[in-house]
């Protein structure tokens, strides 16, 4: 897959000890890549890396690049403006055109990420190089060599499908990271200087790609910052950092400040970040970092990189290596034994090849892909799009689900809760004026206006807006953070002339109180001066309400005289919007979804713990979590996490259930900590650009159809509805898929190894081959076809209650306990045939033995699924699904019938006596009896079966 080149941010220097680097435009800011290793050894190391899992990332520590960029921005935020110009070697007039071109050549285009895509054949090789693909290709060649062309074609088709899907997914994933550049594509106004003798300052418009460190940029509402910027001047500047934080709240920025080192990075007032945008106000700024050296590029540096294989993939890979090793040993012994007995090298080699084919679980890719495809179709019916089929299996193993609060646990809409006066008592007058403001506000309706109107209409209030007329309106803006309407009211005599005029203001509590000089005691009808005690009491009440998870706005009024509104051609808003009377507070709440609590309870029942990772305030997150039943005994915020050392970070993340005010990188570290230190399979549900890091790193990335395009690109599963109940169904499908896959793996390895060991024993005991190559391949083909129904099998209820995980020691121990039972039955059959029927070493005697051994081996491999698939007694306490039962009956009937048909005669079989089938009935009853005893002991010792 394409690798995103993220070089180290800046080179070190000793000239300015306060900074991690200096003169960033005169020196090479990008460290050169490490030199390659010795040409002979390097390919060997590459091969070893393909076979070994990579190093795990420590989720509790920042990367070196991120540390450098944070140190650089903090140093600039704490420096005076003239010092900042020296750091980036620029002037207050800006860069000259020649200097800007020079820096552009040195630092490269100003794009957030540097993409380097490998050739298509590199991706194809990466998709192709998988042990089972290699085995299937070898076995396909063997099948053609042994004139078994249909089986060879099937294996080649499986390889083609597997490689094609893997190639497509990796190529698509590598290109998806490119969409991050969409956030910074815009023309930029830059101040440059020109002239050799007398320099003139010019304002020019350049492409964002051509902006370089040291440029002075001019920005207005709607502009995106083309790089990390240190503010030089600002006027009522309000910036949205939603692309980094994911939260819709805005932040004020100002140039006239020196920041404190303890201020969180995203709260720095004099630093603006690449990819954020101006909501209101204007200003100028000095570009201090561009391209891949910006904060946004650094935090998204892991986006699109290839994930390390999970335990399941590693386990499958190791199984394949073990099977190859066993295959080489056993086949060598069998070939040598057969040659010593028959002195026919070609026949011995053909028999050995047939044994190798029988040893390999040929249907594994088909079983896995069929199970995943079946799960994907089932989830599609639940309005869930599965982009990566392996995510279904990971969802089944998921034991922690990290979710954002807004829109997932809550309805993502405001509902009005109460209308309180300055003493915290519900007063209708506060609601009436808030309603009039929302009703007559026509410039732009906000969700809070809709909530107020809905509350009034649904609760039967009759405030008669027809008796009011709007004169003018002062719309909301992000500087004042208030909206005002000027109204007239009908006279009390009932005539249609208007006499009283009011200005009604509502908005952010602090901003509303800032323009108030009086407060009204609504219950007494008295207006008094706005005292410091009133101010502190209202703020304290607001803080208590906010701690309960509610949002608060203020309401104020002012009676106007006709002279104030008629003697001016244009209203002096700043004069009018002063000396107002503060009425009270309106509180709102984003309620939890009705389905959220039930869904979280169902997930908890299945062993999936929920952790809330949000950029919202801690109090609001706690309020919502209490409503939906998430424990809030262990909570933490992003700034608190920044102060912890590595060990404390991991321990805190392990215990915490609510993590608030998190940045994108903190969400990433939380996910990585849970994966690497906690050993959990982590799912992450997010829909914003700020969630891309965590979505890409999680075992299962989940987004919604209404989410940001980048978030959907890096997710594995897309929900068409924001409903956690869909995830509950996904978990069930995932565990069903995982369980059926494990059934096949354990059953096929036990059956195949047991069969091969039995063939080895029989070859050593007999002077002839137990089966001919053609008979062995036919037996293997019938058995493999019979396993196609496994993806349609069901799982027991107890199995889907806990997250299943791949155990490195589980499979070897499972084989050691259950494999000998199969071999024991084969040996008993060998002894019974030899001593009871005493077949002579003639052609007929050999055919009799081949026929008896063929049927017993096929029935053993076909019936073993019923013993392995359940912890209970098969056919007594638990039955398989109808597809599996029908498949068992069909394959068994075909296998028994072959020796009695002309096809059997062609293959070298003869008819068998009825007594032999009586022996098989007793044999398999004994097999299930002994197998169930071994199963019970195994479950008692290891506390699990599959």
């Amino acid at each position: 897959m394409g690798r995103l080149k993220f070089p180290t941010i800046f080179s070190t220097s000793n000239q300015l000890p306060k900074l991690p680097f200096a003169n960033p435009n005169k020196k090479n800011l990008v460290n050169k890549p490490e030199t390659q290793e010795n040409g002979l050894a390097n390919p060997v190391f590459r091969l070893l890396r393909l076979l070994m899992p990579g190093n795990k990332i420590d989720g509790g520590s920042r990367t070196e690049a991120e540390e450098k960029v944070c140190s650089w921005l903090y140093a600039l935020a704490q420096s005076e403006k003239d010092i900042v110009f020296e750091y980036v070697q620029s002037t207050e007039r800006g860069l000259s055109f020649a200097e800007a071109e020079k820096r552009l050549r040195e630092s490269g285009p100003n794009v957030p990420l540097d993409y380097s895509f490998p050739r298509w054949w590199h991706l194809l090789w990466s998709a192709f190089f998988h042990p089972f693909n290699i085995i299937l290709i070898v076995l396909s060649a063997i099948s053609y060599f042994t004139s078994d062309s249909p089986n060879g074609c099937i294996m080649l088709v499986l390889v083609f499908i597997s490689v094609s899907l893997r190639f497509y997914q990796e190529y698509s994933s590598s290109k998806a990271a490119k969409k991050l550049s969409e956030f910074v594509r815009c023309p930029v106004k830059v101040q440059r200087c020109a002239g050799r003798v007398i320099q003139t300052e010019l304002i020019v418009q350049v492409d964002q790609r051509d902006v370089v460190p040291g440029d002075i940029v001019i920005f207005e509402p709607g502009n995106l910052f083309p790089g990390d910027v240190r503010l030089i001047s600002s006027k009522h500047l309000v910036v949205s950092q939603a692309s980094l934080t994911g939260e819709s709240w805005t932040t004020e920025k100002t140039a006239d400040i020196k920041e404190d080192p303890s201020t969180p990075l995203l709260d720095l007032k004099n630093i603006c970040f690449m990819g954020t945008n101006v909501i209101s106000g204007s200003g100028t700024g000095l570009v201090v970092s561009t391209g891949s050296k910006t904060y946004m590029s650094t935090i998204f540096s892991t986006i699109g990189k290839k994930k390390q294989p999970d335990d399941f993939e590693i386990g499958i890979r190791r199984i394949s290596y073990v099977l190859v090793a066993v295959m080489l040993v056993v086949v060598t012994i069998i070939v040598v034994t057969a040659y010593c007995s028959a002195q026919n090298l070609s026949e011995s080699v053909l028999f050995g090849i047939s044994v190798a084919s029988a040893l390999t679980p040929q249907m594994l890719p088909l079983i896995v892909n069929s199970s995943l495809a079946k799960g994907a179709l089932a989830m599609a019916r639940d309005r869930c799009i599965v982009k990566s089929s392996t995510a279904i299996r990971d969802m089944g193993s998921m034991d922690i689900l990290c979710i954002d609060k807004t829109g997932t646990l809550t309805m993502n809409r405001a509902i009005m809760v109460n209308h309180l006066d300055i003493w915290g008592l519900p007063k209708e007058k506060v609601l009436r004026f808030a309603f009039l403001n929302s009703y007559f506000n026509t410039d732009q309706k906000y969700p809070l206006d809709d909530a107020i109107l809905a509350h009034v209409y649904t609760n039967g209030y009759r405030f008669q807006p027809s008796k009011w007329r709007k004169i003018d309106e002062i719309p909301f803006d992000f500087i004042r953070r208030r909206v005002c309407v000027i109204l007239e009211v009908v006279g009390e005599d009932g005539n249609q002339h208007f006499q009283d005029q009011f200005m009604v203001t509502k908005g952010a509590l602090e901003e509303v109180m800032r323009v108030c000089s009086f407060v009204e005691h609504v219950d007494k009808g008295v207006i008094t001066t706005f005292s410091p005690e009133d101010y502190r009491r209202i703020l304290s009440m607001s803080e208590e309400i906010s701690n309960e998870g509610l949002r608060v706005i203020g309401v104020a009024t002012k009676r106007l005289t006709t002279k104030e509104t008629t003697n001016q051609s244009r209203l002096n808003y700043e004069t009018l919007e002063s000396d107002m009377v503060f009425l009270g507070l309106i509180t709102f709440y984003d309620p939890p979804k009705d389905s959220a609590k039930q869904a979280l309870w169902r997930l908890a029942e299945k062993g999936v713990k929920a952790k809330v990772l949000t950029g919202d305030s801690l109090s609001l997150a706690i309020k919502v979590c209490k409503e939906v039943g998430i424990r809030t005994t262990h909570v933490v915020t992003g700034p608190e996490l920044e102060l912890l050392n590595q060990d404390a970070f991991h321990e805190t993340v392990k215990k915490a259930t609510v993590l608030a005010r998190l940045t994108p990188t903190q969400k990433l570290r939380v996910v990585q900590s849970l994966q690497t230190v906690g050993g959990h399979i982590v799912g992450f549900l997010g829909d914003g650009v700020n969630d891309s890091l965590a979505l890409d790193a999680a075992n299962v990335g989940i987004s919604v159809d209404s989410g940001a395009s980048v978030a959907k690109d890096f997710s594995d599963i897309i929900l068409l509805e924001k409903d956690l109940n869909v995830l509950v169904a996904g978990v069930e499908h995932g565990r069903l898929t995982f369980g059926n896959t494990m059934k096949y793996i354990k059953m096929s390895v036990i059956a195949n190894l047991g069969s091969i060991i039995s063939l080895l024993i029989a070859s050593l005991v007999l002077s002839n081959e137990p089966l001919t190559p053609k008979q062995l391949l036919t037996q293997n083909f019938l058995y493999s076809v019979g396993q196609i129904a496994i993806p349609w099998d069901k799982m027991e209820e107890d199995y889907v209650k806990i997250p299943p995980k791949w155990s490195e020691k589980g499979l070897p121990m499972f084989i050691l306990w259950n494999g000998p039972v199969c071999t024991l039955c084969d040996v008993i059959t060998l002894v019974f045939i030899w001593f009871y029927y005493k077949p002579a070493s003639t052609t007929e005697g050999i055919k009799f033995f081949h026929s008896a051994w063929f049927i017993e081996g096929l029935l053993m491999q076909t019936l073993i699924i019923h013993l392995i698939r359940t912890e209970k007694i098969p056919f007594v306490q638990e039955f398989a699904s109808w597809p599996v039962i029908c498949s068992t009956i069909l394959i068994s009937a075909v296998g028994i019938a072959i020796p009695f048909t002309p096809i059997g005669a062609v293959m070298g079989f003869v008819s068998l006596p009825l007594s032999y089938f009586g022996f098989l009935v007793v044999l398999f009853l004994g097999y299930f009896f002994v197998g169930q005893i071994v199963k019970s002991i195994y479950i008692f010792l290891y506390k699990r079966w599959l």
Side-chain angles (χ1 to χ4, degrees):
M1 187 179 68
R3 171 170 286 183
L4 303 177
K5 294 181 179 178
F6 255 83
T8 310
I9 304 301
F10 297 103
S11 58
T12 58
S13 175
N14 296 324
Q15 296 178 5
L16 293 172
K18 293 182 180 180
L19 296 175
F21 48 85
N23 298 333
N25 299 298
K26 290 294 184 182
K27 296 186 177 183
N28 182 14
L29 302 184
V30 180
N31 290 345
K32 295 181 179 180
E34 297 179 3
T35 56
Q36 290 189 346
E37 300 168 2
N38 179 276
L40 180 62
N42 201 25
V44 178
F45 288 135
R46 283 198 200 127
L47 180 60
L48 288 176
R49 289 192 192 102
L50 286 172
L51 305 181
M52 298 173 61
N55 293 331
K56 292 183 177 180
I57 301 172
D58 189 347
S61 58
R62 284 177 172 170
T63 63
E64 181 182 356
E66 191 179 349
E67 287 288 356
K68 284 191 174 184
V69 78
C70 291
S71 300
W72 171 239
L73 294 176
Y74 269 115
L76 295 173
Q78 299 166 41
S79 302
E80 298 288 350
K81 296 177 186 177
D82 54 346
I83 301 298
V84 175
F85 280 107
E86 291 184 18
Y87 284 152
V88 297
Q89 288 199 334
S90 185
T91 66
E92 295 182 357
R93 294 182 175 181
L95 299 175
S96 66
F97 287 91
E99 178 65 19
E101 291 179 3
K102 178 184 176 183
R103 296 188 181 191
L104 185 61
R105 289 193 300 269
E106 293 177 351
S107 59
N110 179 30
V111 292
L113 301 177
D114 182 17
Y115 298 92
S116 177
F117 293 99
R119 299 291 184 181
W120 64 269
W121 53 81
H122 293 157
L123 290 175
L124 187 60
W125 169 253
S126 176
F128 171 79
F129 190 81
H130 188 279
F132 274 126
N133 288 337
I134 304 297
I135 293 174
L136 284 175
I137 290 175
V138 172
L139 292 177
S140 176
I142 293 172
S143 298
Y144 281 107
F145 185 71
T146 55
S147 301
D148 188 14
S149 300
N151 204 19
C153 289
I154 292 174
M155 285 185 253
L156 287 180
V157 169
L158 293 176
V159 172
F160 176 78
I161 294 174
S162 175
V163 172
S164 299
L165 290 176
R166 194 179 183 93
F167 172 78
Y168 173 76
Q169 289 175 353
E170 294 198 356
Y171 185 72
S172 300
S173 178
S174 65
K175 289 197 305 181
K178 240 181 179 179
K179 293 195 175 182
L180 283 173
S181 60
E182 294 176 0
F183 292 95
V184 290
R185 288 181 180 174
C186 61
V188 181
K189 290 182 179 179
V190 176
Q191 179 178 304
R192 298 270 172 87
C193 58
R196 295 185 177 179
V197 180
I198 300 177
Q199 292 189 332
T200 304
E201 298 173 2
L202 300 175
I203 305 298
V204 296
Q205 187 166 284
V206 301
D207 188 88
Q208 160 264 330
R209 294 170 58 92
D210 298 329
V211 175
V212 296
D215 268 332
I216 296 175
V217 294
I218 296 93
F219 39 83
E220 299 170 344
N223 290 159
L224 288 167
F225 289 99
D228 291 340
V229 173
R230 170 60 158 89
L231 294 179
I232 300 173
S233 64
S234 61
K235 181 179 180 181
H236 305 304
L237 182 61
V238 178
V239 174
S240 170
Q241 299 184 154
S243 59
L244 296 179
T245 64
E247 302 305 320
S248 58
W249 309 119
T250 57
T251 180
E252 296 180 2
K253 299 284 185 176
T254 179
D256 302 323
I257 189 174
K258 282 182 64 177
E259 286 289 359
D260 187 86
S262 61
T263 304
L265 183 66
L266 294 179
D267 292 340
L268 295 175
K269 297 293 185 182
N270 56 10
I271 297 292
C272 296
F273 302 92
M274 184 184 207
T276 62
N277 62 292
V278 180
I279 298 298
S280 62
S282 59
T284 61
L286 181 66
V287 178
V288 296
S289 303
T290 59
S292 60
K293 296 173 281 293
T294 59
Y295 175 70
M296 188 187 83
S297 298
T298 305
I299 65 173
F300 287 111
S301 61
T302 59
I303 282 287
K305 291 186 177 179
K306 187 174 182 179
K307 296 181 182 180
Q308 296 295 337
D310 58 21
D311 292 340
F312 186 89
E313 293 175 342
I314 294 173
I316 293 294
R317 193 178 293 269
R318 288 175 177 171
I319 287 175
S320 64
Y321 296 148
V322 171
L323 289 178
V324 170
V326 173
M327 183 188 304
L328 293 175
V329 174
V330 173
V331 169
T332 301
I333 296 175
I334 288 179
V335 169
V336 172
T337 303
Y339 177 73
C340 293
S341 301
Q343 297 296 318
N344 189 329
L345 182 60
S346 61
E347 287 292 331
S348 303
V349 171
L350 282 174
F351 182 67
I353 290 174
S354 303
V355 171
S357 176
L359 180 59
T360 305
Q362 301 173 18
M363 292 292 111
L364 179 60
L366 180 62
I367 296 297
V368 173
N369 291 333
S370 298
S371 298
L372 295 176
K374 180 175 176 291
L377 291 174
M379 293 186 69
R381 290 192 292 269
D382 293 328
R383 297 183 58 76
C384 190
I385 300 173
V386 179
K387 292 175 57 183
S388 174
S389 57
T390 57
I392 301 175
R393 183 189 64 226
D394 291 333
M395 183 173 282
S397 301
M398 177 179 69
D399 56 353
I400 288 185
L401 176 63
C402 298
I403 53 181
D404 190 12
K405 174 190 67 64
T406 306
T408 304
L409 298 179
T410 64
M411 295 183 180
N412 199 20
R413 62 183 178 90
I415 291 181
M416 183 182 154
V417 178
N418 218 331
H419 41 91
L420 309 174
D421 67 358
I422 61 173
W423 298 98
L425 301 175
K427 297 298 177 183
E428 186 175 305
K429 185 175 184 179
V430 179
L431 177 60
R432 181 168 72 249
F433 280 99
F435 166 79
L436 293 173
N437 181 287
S438 297
Y439 185 88
F440 288 103
N441 169 28
T442 57
D443 181 74
Q444 184 175 357
K445 292 287 187 181
Y446 289 91
L448 298 186
D449 293 312
D450 296 334
I452 293 173
L453 297 176
H455 182 82
V456 170
Y457 293 143
T458 56
N459 287 278
Y461 291 100
R462 302 188 181 277
F463 293 138
Q464 298 180 313
S466 60
K467 291 188 176 182
W468 296 78
R469 185 184 72 175
K470 185 174 78 170
I471 298 176
D472 208 339
E473 177 179 349
I474 309 176
F476 180 88
D477 62 68
F478 285 94
I479 300 173
R480 296 166 45 256
R481 294 196 293 168
R482 303 182 298 269
V483 58
C484 302
V485 293
I486 301 174
L487 308 174
E488 284 185 331
V489 65
V490 175
E492 294 182 1
D493 57 0
N495 297 326
Q496 291 299 315
H497 68 278
F498 293 84
Q499 57 177 24
D500 293 333
Q501 297 181 350
F502 289 89
M503 171 180 277
V504 183
T505 297
K506 78 174 189 304
L509 180 61
E510 296 84 354
E511 299 301 328
V512 171
M513 290 195 297
R514 186 176 298 172
V515 296
C516 292
S517 301
F518 307 96
V519 295
E520 180 172 348
H521 301 264
V522 180
D523 54 344
K524 299 178 181 179
V526 177
I527 297 176
T528 61
T529 303
F530 202 160
S531 65
E533 289 78 11
D534 292 328
Y535 189 87
R536 287 192 293 270
R537 185 180 66 254
I538 294 172
L539 282 183
S540 176
M541 181 172 59
S542 171
E543 184 176 352
E544 291 178 4
I545 294 173
S546 298
N547 288 337
E548 295 178 0
L550 302 181
R551 186 177 177 184
V552 179
I553 64 172
V555 181
T557 63
K558 180 182 180 180
R559 186 184 293 270
L560 303 177
T561 63
T562 306
K563 182 178 179 180
E564 286 181 288
T565 57
T566 58
N567 290 352
Q568 301 180 59
S569 58
R570 180 174 178 83
L571 295 178
N572 187 338
Y573 294 148
E574 292 185 2
T575 301
L576 284 178
E577 205 173 13
S578 61
D579 295 330
M580 301 191 71
V581 179
F582 186 83
L583 279 184
L585 312 174
I586 304 292
T587 62
F588 302 88
Y589 181 45
D590 184 4
K593 291 181 177 179
D594 295 334
S595 61
K597 187 171 184 177
Q598 178 190 11
L600 290 173
W601 180 75
R602 292 175 62 193
L603 285 171
E605 271 194 327
K606 298 184 182 305
V608 181
K609 298 179 180 178
K611 288 181 181 286
V612 174
L613 276 59
T614 179
D616 272 346
S617 66
L618 180 61
S619 58
L620 187 56
I622 291 175
K623 171 71 174 178
V624 173
C625 290
K626 286 182 177 179
E627 293 281 342
V628 298
I630 296 178
R631 295 178 60 187
T632 57
T633 51
H634 295 90
V635 298
V636 69
T637 63
E640 292 172 346
L641 287 177
E642 286 293 327
L643 302 177
L644 302 178
N645 60 36
Q646 213 164 240
D647 294 336
F649 177 91
H650 294 311
E651 187 63 26
T652 302
V653 167
K654 176 183 176 182
K655 294 181 178 179
T657 54
V658 182
L659 300 95
R661 296 180 61 197
L662 297 183
T663 65
T665 49
Q666 288 171 336
K667 289 183 179 181
L668 170 66
R669 293 192 194 106
V670 169
V671 170
Q672 290 177 336
S673 175
L674 293 171
Q675 290 173 320
T676 58
V677 179
H680 298 286
I681 304 298
V682 181
F684 187 90
L685 174 58
D687 57 2
V689 178
N690 62 304
D691 296 321
S692 299
L693 284 170
L695 284 169
D696 191 53
N699 300 93
V700 186
I702 309 165
S703 188
V704 293
D705 188 44
S706 58
S709 60
V710 175
K712 290 189 289 186
D713 284 330
F714 291 110
S715 61
D716 303 303
I717 294 174
I718 298 177
L719 307 181
L720 299 182
E721 296 178 1
K722 274 191 173 182
D723 189 351
L724 289 178
N725 284 295
V726 177
L727 295 184
V728 178
V731 168
E732 293 174 349
H733 294 313
R735 293 182 183 177
L736 181 64
T737 300
F738 191 98
N740 284 333
T741 305
M742 290 305 301
K743 284 179 191 176
Y744 176 76
I745 291 173
K746 291 186 174 182
M747 174 203 65
S748 61
V749 172
I750 290 174
N752 290 0
L753 283 176
S755 175
I756 298 306
I757 293 174
S758 302
L759 284 172
L760 178 61
I761 295 173
S763 298
L764 294 174
V765 173
L766 302 175
S767 58
N768 297 299
E769 298 168 347
L771 291 173
T772 66
K774 185 182 296 185
Q775 293 167 352
L776 184 57
L777 288 173
T778 302
Q779 183 190 70
N780 187 53
F781 175 77
L782 289 174
Y783 157 71
S784 298
V785 171
Q787 310 312 314
I788 295 177
I790 289 179
W792 284 265
D793 195 17
K794 59 184 179 179
M795 294 299 300
E796 297 175 4
E797 293 183 2
D798 293 340
Y799 183 84
V800 297
K801 286 183 179 180
I802 58 173
K805 289 187 178 181
W806 182 275
S807 174
E808 292 185 1
K809 298 180 180 179
L811 185 58
M813 296 306 299
F814 194 90
I815 295 172
L816 289 176
W817 275 84
N818 295 275
V821 180
C822 295
T823 303
L824 177 63
C825 290
D826 290 337
V827 171
I828 292 174
T829 302
L830 174 65
V831 172
F832 176 79
I833 296 172
W834 186 260
F835 288 100
Y836 186 80
Y837 293 107
K838 299 178 181 179
S841 299
T842 62
T843 303
E844 289 300 318
I846 295 174
K847 287 183 177 181
F848 180 88
F849 185 87
H850 287 172
S851 303
W853 188 271
F854 173 85
I855 292 178
E856 187 274 340
L858 178 61
L859 293 179
M860 171 64 70
Q861 292 178 318
T862 303
L863 293 173
I864 190 176
I865 178 61
H866 296 276
L867 182 67
I868 298 299
R869 61 171 300 278
T870 177
E871 297 182 7
K872 301 176 182 178
I873 302 175
F875 304 114
V876 177
Q877 296 177 321
E878 174 69 16
F879 285 87
S881 64
W882 280 110
V884 174
I885 292 177
C886 292
S887 173
T888 301
I889 295 173
L890 178 62
I891 298 301
S892 299
V894 171
I896 293 172
I898 283 179
F900 300 93
T901 64
I903 297 176
V906 173
M907 295 181 63
F909 292 137
V910 295
S911 301
L912 297 172
L914 188 61
S915 59
Y916 180 71
F917 293 100
F919 162 76
L920 290 181
V921 171
V922 176
L923 175 72
F924 286 115
L925 286 176
Y927 166 71
F928 279 104
F929 178 77
V930 175
Q932 192 65 32
I933 293 176
V934 172
K935 181 196 299 183
S936 301
I937 298 174
Y938 181 89
I939 295 174
F940 177 77
L941 294 176
Y942 299 100
K943 310 303 179 185
R944 59 176 299 175
W945 180 237
L946 290 177

